[in-house]
Amino acid sequence: MNFFLSPSFFRRARGCALAGLAAACFAAPVLAQVPAPPNASAGAVAPDMVAQRVSPSAWYVEGLSALGSGANQNFISNAAFVVTANGVVVIDALGSPALAERLMAEIRKVTPLPVTHVIVTHYHADHIYGLQAFKAKGARIVAHRAALEYLSSETARLRLDVSRKDLAPWIDDKTRLVPADEWIDGPTELTIGGVRFKLQPVGPSHTPEDLVIYMPHEKVLFAGDLVFRSRIPFVGQADSGHWIKALQTLLAFDTSVIVPGHGPLSNEARKDTELTRDYLVYLRTSMGQAAKNMTPFEEAYQAADWTAFEHLPLFRVANRMNAYNTYLLMEREAP
């Protein structure tokens, strides 16, 4: 693959290469499932997608705990939907138009009402490449304004170009980036079909535009990628210091159930939020001390005690990259 990009992209490339994870870093975001496009490989098997009930009015579908690939159609993130009196509110659109169509089919098993809104937690590809399918059905898209910078960036364009190759035929020349119809700048309340949604910006954390959605009447929190349940988070170029503070904000919600961006539903809101927080804290502590002491990364990585996290899915795939990117971040943050 040929990349020619911003300094932050080169930092990512350097971090991935030195961390020994080039394939994981540059694997394109997310993929699809449902009727295969005409040029799909005959042996492709669509991952199961089954809507699971979260609360009286909410359901979610759970992506695979894996890296996105053509084989799994990049179904690696979660999406949710809430049935209101006037229509359906979807949280995140999955990683391809085909996956979004599959999600709409699951919604139709629950209600004949149309999807009126899609709220985007952040603009990572595994959560937004399905937006155009919802837009075509007339849904109104809501997201945080900070995503505009990404949408107009060379990074977004090149990532989509790479996805068209790596995730074909699920991502192709008809797949496009879709902006929001309504950009929010701060805490916002929406009442749709009698259901109240509290939209709370919590970025820059996992991304600059991170948004969580809270349903107070059912105590359900849609946490996006601030919470990775039962697996190692993808840290990437995240602002992990602010991410830790944002998790404290999440802990302040009166929450019975968390729908994470990745992983199973959480009925132990505090425990699962703290797992993500504790992992980020350990990354910053261990790599921060190494950066301060000018200890070479490889030596620092080998010396760190990963036993509290090494049993989690994707540890071997993501942890080294997370550690190296955090090492670079702590170098930059050093006084």
Side-chain angles (χ1 to χ4, degrees):
M1 301 175 198
N2 294 316
F3 292 91
F4 15 83
L5 218 47
S6 64
S8 64
F9 191 89
F10 284 120
R11 283 198 302 272
R12 181 183 177 207
R14 175 172 172 251
C16 290
L18 291 180
L21 280 164
C25 288
F26 295 119
V30 191
L31 262 86
Q33 76 172 28
V34 93
N39 55 338
S41 61
V45 177
D48 289 338
M49 181 188 292
V50 179
Q52 304 176 53
R53 197 154 200 167
V54 175
S55 66
S57 62
W59 285 256
Y60 91 116
V61 297
E62 182 184 334
L64 304 174
S65 184
L67 294 177
S69 68
N72 63 30
Q73 302 175 13
N74 220 358
F75 182 31
I76 59 170
S77 65
N78 299 344
F81 62 93
V82 179
V83 179
T84 80
N86 296 343
V88 179
V89 177
V90 169
I91 291 94
D92 285 342
L94 297 176
S96 73
L99 280 175
E101 293 286 353
R102 180 69 176 271
L103 177 56
M104 284 189 271
E106 287 300 302
I107 292 170
R108 287 193 293 271
K109 293 176 184 178
V110 174
T111 176
L113 292 170
V115 174
T116 60
H117 294 74
V118 179
I119 305 174
V120 179
T121 63
H122 63 298
Y123 263 77
H124 275 176
D126 52 328
H127 298 262
I128 57 95
Y129 278 175
L131 281 174
Q132 67 190 65
F134 290 104
K135 183 69 175 173
K137 300 293 186 182
R140 182 174 179 80
I141 300 165
V142 181
H144 192 276
R145 189 178 300 277
L148 275 170
E149 182 177 353
Y150 170 74
L151 278 176
S152 60
S153 71
E154 189 74 350
T155 303
R157 185 187 69 80
L158 289 177
R159 185 170 291 157
L160 181 54
D161 284 347
V162 171
S163 296
R164 286 170 175 152
K165 297 180 180 72
D166 291 355
L167 303 180
W170 310 101
I171 303 298
D172 59 20
D173 58 359
K174 296 183 178 64
T175 309
R176 59 188 177 87
L177 298 171
V178 179
D181 300 295
E182 180 178 349
W183 295 108
I184 69 168
D185 296 292
T188 302
E189 286 203 11
L190 299 176
T191 300
I192 301 168
V195 177
R196 187 159 62 106
F197 298 87
K198 297 180 72 172
L199 280 56
Q200 177 65 53
V202 285
S205 298
H206 182 68
T207 67
E209 69 273 10
D210 286 316
L211 196 65
V212 299
I213 300 95
Y214 179 60
M215 290 172 54
H217 72 294
E218 293 180 7
K219 298 184 178 181
V220 175
L221 178 68
F222 304 95
D225 279 8
L226 258 70
V227 176
F228 285 67
R229 184 167 187 239
S230 299
R231 57 158 282 188
I232 289 292
F234 171 67
V235 175
Q237 299 298 314
D239 182 340
S240 55
H242 194 275
W243 189 345
I244 291 165
K245 294 177 182 176
L247 289 169
Q248 293 300 125
T249 300
L250 266 59
L251 288 169
F253 284 107
D254 181 14
T255 302
S256 297
V257 183
I258 290 179
V259 180
H262 298 264
L265 197 68
S266 170
N267 292 302
E268 298 179 287
R270 177 166 293 276
K271 176 183 175 182
D272 290 319
T273 302
E274 288 176 346
L275 175 63
T276 300
R277 182 198 63 189
D278 292 348
Y279 175 70
L280 295 173
V281 167
Y282 186 71
L283 279 179
R284 289 178 61 85
T285 301
S286 58
M287 295 300 105
Q289 190 63 46
K292 180 180 178 181
N293 295 339
M294 293 186 288
T295 304
F297 169 72
E298 186 61 36
E299 182 181 333
Y301 187 80
Q302 294 300 325
D305 181 3
W306 303 109
T307 53
F309 310 106
E310 63 188 4
H311 65 286
L312 295 172
L314 296 185
F315 175 86
R316 294 186 182 279
V317 172
N319 189 65
R320 188 182 181 87
M321 178 175 62
N322 289 344
Y324 189 77
N325 284 341
T326 303
Y327 183 90
L328 294 179
L329 175 67
M330 301 310 292
E331 282 185 327
R332 297 194 298 272
E333 289 186 3

